[in-house]
Amino acid sequence: MKPMILDVDTGIDDMMAIAYATHSPEVKLIGVTTLFGNVTVEEATRNSLYVLELLGCEDVPVYAGADKPLSRNKDAYAKHVHGDDGLGGALLDALPKGRAESLTAPQFMVEQARRMPGQLNIVSVGPMTNLAAAIRLDPEFVSLVGQVVIMGGAVTVPGNVTPHAEANIHSDPEAAEFVFGSGLPIKLIGLDVTMKTLLPRTRLQEWRDKGTKMSHFLADATDFYIDAYERFSPGIGGCALHDPLAVGMVIDPTFCRTESMPVKVDTEGEHTAGQTYADRNVVPDGRPSIDVCLEVDAERFLAHFMSRVV
């Protein structure tokens, strides 16, 4: 079993990723870390605790992290995509019984990397602020982590919050630029591949047929998520499995084909902040290369995800 920390800003696809991880015997989810992004860090923490309780995984600890970007203001959240509660309204004012641990998210990351050098998998599916903070807390963290799988960026395709930028990178471009240049062993799962992993609305009935509280909760939240996709792309008929694919790449790295390249993030452009770009022939600032996912076996991944998530 591969030890995993999931770093989330728990909206709807984060919830899917948590469920996928907890139901996959190849990985052991040793903790969930939270931060701002789709929702506030307080809401992400609440949602993560509640989802873990629905899954019967109350023993998985949750650690709260960053409430804002490294050097920018955060005054807008993706509630038009994920709902006022971050879970498509499915929460219905329910509250988790548990609470977050006393350590911060970056402290927990560093602690676990030191406890199991070379073994820890961190799956980051929100902004990279917690990762940046962990590196600043302990520079040796970079050499202690086994693998960091990041859902973020759009290296060869347009963005989804601006024509240039993907949402997670756009939420904290400075953190992403810092992390990409840090030397962490990174696998980047961006819109280049995640937009090819469409979950059709017709498949949600399979979850409802399971007849559990979690399966109905997940289906109701995902219905809301697909409605948001329909507003942006009429007729799409489903939603992309952004965050679950990052988990999937720890379970089975053959889901995607990767290429190694240095990646930079625009932190200064008025209209291009958050843009990720790479040049296979030029290494900007001598920065290390990361593994960028460029092709995905979407059909095989969807089948695997659906066999595990509920």
Side-chain angles (χ1 to χ4, degrees):
M1 296 176 73
K2 303 172 185 178
M4 176 191 291
I5 293 173
L6 254 176
D7 191 38
V8 294
D9 55 338
T10 301
I12 296 164
D13 57 331
D14 306 73
M15 171 174 58
M16 295 183 204
I18 293 171
Y20 187 27
T22 59
H23 289 149
S24 292
E26 298 88 349
V27 301
K28 179 175 177 57
L29 186 60
I30 62 171
V32 170
T33 54
T34 65
L35 76 168
F36 74 93
N38 293 322
V39 291
T40 67
V41 66
E42 293 82 8
E43 291 166 329
T45 302
R46 175 201 66 198
N47 292 354
S48 300
L49 286 164
Y50 187 77
V51 168
L52 286 166
E53 290 173 9
L54 275 183
L55 290 164
C57 298
E58 298 93 334
D59 58 331
V60 176
V62 175
Y63 301 83
D67 63 354
K68 60 183 179 181
L70 289 182
S71 58
R72 295 174 182 247
N73 295 321
K74 177 66 176 177
D75 53 9
Y77 300 91
K79 297 195 172 184
H80 59 299
V81 177
H82 295 273
D84 287 340
D85 61 1
L87 296 175
L91 201 58
L92 296 175
D93 297 323
L95 293 174
K97 297 174 184 174
R99 59 173 53 188
E101 305 294 321
S102 57
L103 284 182
T104 67
Q107 288 171 336
F108 178 67
M109 289 179 177
V110 168
E111 175 190 80
Q112 296 304 306
R114 286 200 164 277
R115 189 172 71 85
M116 53 184 92
Q119 301 175 54
L120 180 63
N121 296 270
I122 298 178
V123 177
S124 169
V125 296
M128 284 181 242
T129 320
N130 283 342
L131 280 173
I135 297 168
R136 288 180 170 180
L137 184 63
D138 183 356
E140 290 187 6
F141 175 76
V142 167
S143 61
L144 293 170
V145 175
Q147 174 182 225
V148 179
V149 180
I150 293 170
M151 191 280 122
V155 176
T156 64
V157 297
N160 60 355
V161 291
T162 75
H164 307 282
E166 179 275 331
N168 289 338
I169 307 292
H170 188 262
S171 288
D172 195 345
E174 285 76 16
E177 170 67 1
F178 178 68
V179 169
F180 287 160
S182 69
L184 276 173
I186 292 172
K187 191 168 288 179
L188 185 66
I189 289 86
L191 302 182
D192 314 80
V193 287
T194 64
M195 286 304 296
K196 299 172 183 174
T197 61
L198 195 71
L199 170 65
R201 193 193 296 269
T202 54
R203 302 293 299 269
L204 300 188
Q205 189 57 43
E206 297 174 35
W207 294 351
R208 293 192 168 97
D209 289 345
K210 297 279 187 179
T212 68
K213 186 174 181 180
M214 180 63 198
S215 67
H216 281 280
F217 188 91
L218 191 60
D220 291 345
T222 305
D223 252 335
F224 183 97
Y225 195 45
I226 292 173
D227 285 343
Y229 270 77
E230 285 289 342
R231 289 195 297 273
F232 305 134
S233 302
I236 192 171
C239 63
L241 296 171
H242 302 291
D243 297 352
L245 183 58
V247 171
M249 283 298 287
V250 176
I251 297 168
D252 183 353
T254 69
F255 282 136
C256 291
R257 181 185 70 80
T258 66
E259 285 188 27
S260 182
M261 62 187 79
V263 177
K264 282 191 69 68
V265 180
D266 188 330
T267 60
E268 298 179 0
E270 181 179 355
H271 302 294
T272 56
Q275 181 175 4
T276 47
Y277 56 94
D279 189 329
R280 296 168 178 80
N281 302 310
V282 178
V283 180
D285 306 325
R287 71 174 43 216
S289 292
I290 64 178
D291 292 332
V292 179
C293 295
L294 296 178
E295 295 178 9
V296 58
D297 189 341
E299 192 172 315
R300 183 165 66 89
F301 166 68
L302 177 61
H304 191 271
F305 170 77
M306 291 298 292
S307 74
R308 296 277 181 89
V309 68
V310 296

